[in-house]
Amino acid sequence: MAPKVQEGQLYKTIRYDVNSDGVDEIVALSAYKVEGDEYLGQLIVTDLDGQHLFEGPRPEKSSDAFAFGHFHYGDADIQAIIADEDDSGSHISLIGATPVSDLRPTPFRVWRWNDGMFIPEFVNTLIERPAESNCYVWEAKDFEYADDRWISKFYYNKDGELMATVIDTTCEERVLLGEAKVVITENGIGLKDWVQLPK
């Protein structure tokens, strides 16, 4: 059976004006080392004509900050690009997820666009703090997950709005799942306009 993704194929793309020139760029993953249904991904940024503006490394160790890919136990991919601010000004950040094969908070990797390249920043989870606030802060999290809500995934809806999938383990009887639009906050991510309340 032919692989679903071919060598060099862009299998994940996000359009965003990362260099603030008024024109969108394409942030994407390019497949390499394709073996059956599994493959690795190289982070690249191109202009709309396909000219490469940035090429990340092509690591083969999952521990590398630029390790992406599709594996039998989950995906290490890119999910969102946000504009955030801190004491040094406004920044463009790329958010990617690491594989999670069980019920625990998703560790998200964050890279910051700086001088024409994405620089690794940190790896953390997004946990609701305080409870029932719809505010999710970057927090180091171990395997304990009881009585928490966390963001498990980002995606864009058909209108290009950034969405989040939320997992809620505060209910003793079962795990709840919700979907909401997101807004960037000073300390992380806020939820607004629930599309589906956790149920």
Side-chain angles (χ1 to χ4, degrees):
M1 177 183 296
K4 296 179 182 179
V5 172
Q6 303 293 328
E7 192 81 18
Q9 179 180 337
L10 301 185
Y11 66 91
K12 181 82 176 188
T13 62
I14 302 175
R15 284 183 60 145
Y16 200 97
D17 182 13
V18 296
N19 57 14
S20 303
D21 63 355
V23 180
D24 283 350
E25 284 75 43
I26 304 296
V27 180
L29 295 178
S30 175
Y32 68 97
K33 201 174 181 182
V34 179
E35 298 178 358
D37 289 334
E38 295 190 323
Y39 44 86
L40 300 176
Q42 179 186 20
L43 179 64
I44 64 171
V45 180
T46 74
D47 62 21
L48 296 180
D49 294 323
Q51 179 179 351
H52 285 210
L53 307 177
F54 168 74
E55 294 184 3
R58 292 162 59 104
E60 297 189 10
K61 293 183 179 180
S62 60
S63 59
D64 191 281
F66 285 94
F68 301 96
H70 175 71
F71 313 104
H72 69 276
Y73 52 85
D75 291 335
D77 63 5
I78 56 176
Q79 297 189 349
I81 298 177
I82 62 172
D84 59 344
E85 294 188 7
D86 60 18
D87 293 340
S88 61
S90 180
H91 307 279
I92 301 299
S93 296
L94 174 66
I95 301 175
T98 58
V100 174
S101 58
D102 54 8
L103 184 63
R104 59 187 171 94
T106 301
F108 290 103
R109 296 182 292 176
V110 177
W111 301 262
R112 180 164 288 177
W113 183 255
N114 187 37
D115 291 334
M117 64 182 65
F118 277 113
I119 307 296
E121 284 286 299
F122 59 84
V123 181
N124 271 334
T125 58
L126 280 164
I127 310 294
E128 187 180 43
R129 295 288 185 266
E132 300 183 2
S133 66
N134 283 338
C135 296
Y136 291 73
V137 300
W138 294 110
E139 179 178 298
K141 189 68 175 178
D142 57 24
F143 287 90
E144 297 297 327
Y145 60 82
D147 301 327
D148 269 329
R149 272 187 180 182
W150 64 80
I151 292 177
S152 67
K153 182 178 69 173
F154 291 101
Y155 64 96
Y156 291 92
N157 66 14
K158 59 182 178 60
D159 296 320
E161 298 172 297
L162 185 58
M163 308 286 294
T165 299
V166 174
I167 290 180
D168 184 340
T169 60
T170 61
C171 177
E172 293 183 0
E173 298 177 354
R174 64 187 187 280
V175 175
L176 308 179
L177 193 68
E179 310 281 339
K181 297 177 183 179
V182 307
V183 60
I184 309 307
T185 67
E186 182 178 354
N187 297 318
I189 301 292
L191 300 186
K192 63 173 184 176
D193 300 333
W194 283 96
V195 174
Q196 175 184 302
L197 288 169
K199 65 178 185 178

